[in-house]
């Protein structure tokens, strides 16, 4: 039974990494930093897999993009994306996943705490990404905030709200089908 469980967990981690790979490239370029669905896909991975496995699925996605497969925003890939101006946000999503995943795992039955955890994780991602953007693009921190955070706040709040509403429903369905084990 343990072996079957491990195979199932690995399969679902791979499946959620694939979902991130599918949603991640879908983006709207609005300057240096595009609007993408990566964070929404990560939130869903966290609801489906929990903090540890959800974060692992995102790291797998990063590795796939790092080797050059075009899974990043705008169907791009390669080490240059991680080292370029928007790379800080890509790395920052790891911290977002850990923080949001902790809240989702610990407070699953309290939607407002899950929302708060996703919002806090997003703020940490913003801080990491903005600092990197300012450094890489030779911008002031204020200019980097204007380019990489301010335009994204409304959309990210909507994505967090969508995940807050749909994530628990998905997880509850998986639990009732005996397909979820954190």
């Amino acid at each position: 039974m343990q072996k079957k469980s491990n195979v199932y967990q690995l399969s679902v981690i791979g499946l959620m990494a694939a979902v991130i790979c599918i949603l991640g490239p879908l983006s709207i370029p609005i300057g240096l930093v595009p609007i993408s669905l990566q964070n929404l896909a990560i939130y869903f991975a966290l609801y489906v897999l929990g903090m540890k496995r959800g974060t692992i699925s995102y790291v797998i996605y990063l590795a796939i993009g790092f080797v050059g497969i075009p899974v990043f925003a705008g169907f791009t890939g390669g080490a240059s994306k991680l080292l370029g101006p928007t790379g800080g946000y890509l790395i920052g999503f790891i911290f977002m996943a850990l923080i949001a995943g902790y809240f989702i795992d610990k407070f699953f039955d309290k939607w407002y705490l899950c929302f708060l955890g996703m919002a806090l994780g997003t703020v940490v991602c913003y801080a990491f990404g903005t600092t990197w953007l300012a450094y890489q693009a030779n911008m002031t921190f204020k200019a980097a905030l204007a380019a990489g955070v301010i335009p994204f706040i409304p959309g990210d709040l909507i994505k967090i709200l969508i995940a807050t509403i749909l994530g628990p429903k998905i997880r509850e369905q998986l639990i009732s089908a005996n397909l979820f084990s954190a």
Side-chain angles (χ1 to χ4, degrees):
M1 184 70 175
Q2 180 66 21
K3 189 170 190 147
K4 183 178 179 185
S5 177
N6 288 339
V7 169
Y8 170 77
Q9 290 299 325
L10 289 173
S11 299
V12 178
I13 289 169
L15 176 65
M16 291 312 298
V19 168
I20 301 169
C21 287
I22 291 166
L23 293 179
L26 304 177
S27 62
I28 302 168
I30 63 167
L32 281 176
V33 183
I35 295 172
S36 78
L37 296 176
Q38 288 165 322
N39 50 348
L40 180 62
I42 295 165
Y43 299 141
F44 284 138
L46 296 169
Y47 272 106
V48 169
L49 296 168
M51 180 186 73
K52 287 186 220 171
R53 294 180 188 105
T55 302
I56 290 169
S57 72
Y58 177 71
V59 170
I60 290 169
Y61 160 81
L62 272 184
I64 291 168
F66 180 78
V67 298
I69 298 172
V71 296
F72 295 148
F75 295 94
T76 59
S80 63
K81 289 304 282 189
L82 286 176
L83 301 174
T86 60
Y89 297 103
L90 291 168
I91 300 299
F93 282 141
I94 296 171
F95 303 110
M96 182 192 79
L98 291 168
I99 294 166
Y102 174 81
F103 275 77
I104 290 167
D105 284 354
K106 206 76 161 155
F107 308 109
F108 173 72
D109 56 340
K110 295 179 175 67
W111 70 268
Y112 53 92
L113 290 176
C114 292
F115 186 97
L116 176 65
M118 288 184 275
L120 286 173
T122 300
V123 168
V124 169
C125 179
Y126 283 162
F128 196 85
T130 303
T131 302
W132 185 254
L133 176 62
Y135 172 75
Q136 281 295 92
N138 199 22
M139 309 167 87
T140 65
F141 191 79
K142 185 177 178 181
L145 271 176
V149 174
I150 304 301
F152 301 92
I153 293 172
D156 285 347
L157 286 172
I158 291 169
K159 290 181 240 177
I160 291 170
L161 184 61
I162 290 169
T164 302
I165 293 167
L166 296 179
K169 293 179 186 328
I170 294 167
R171 191 174 196 168
E172 287 167 1
Q173 290 296 315
L174 292 171
I175 290 170
S176 69
N178 283 332
L179 296 174
F180 178 83
S181 63

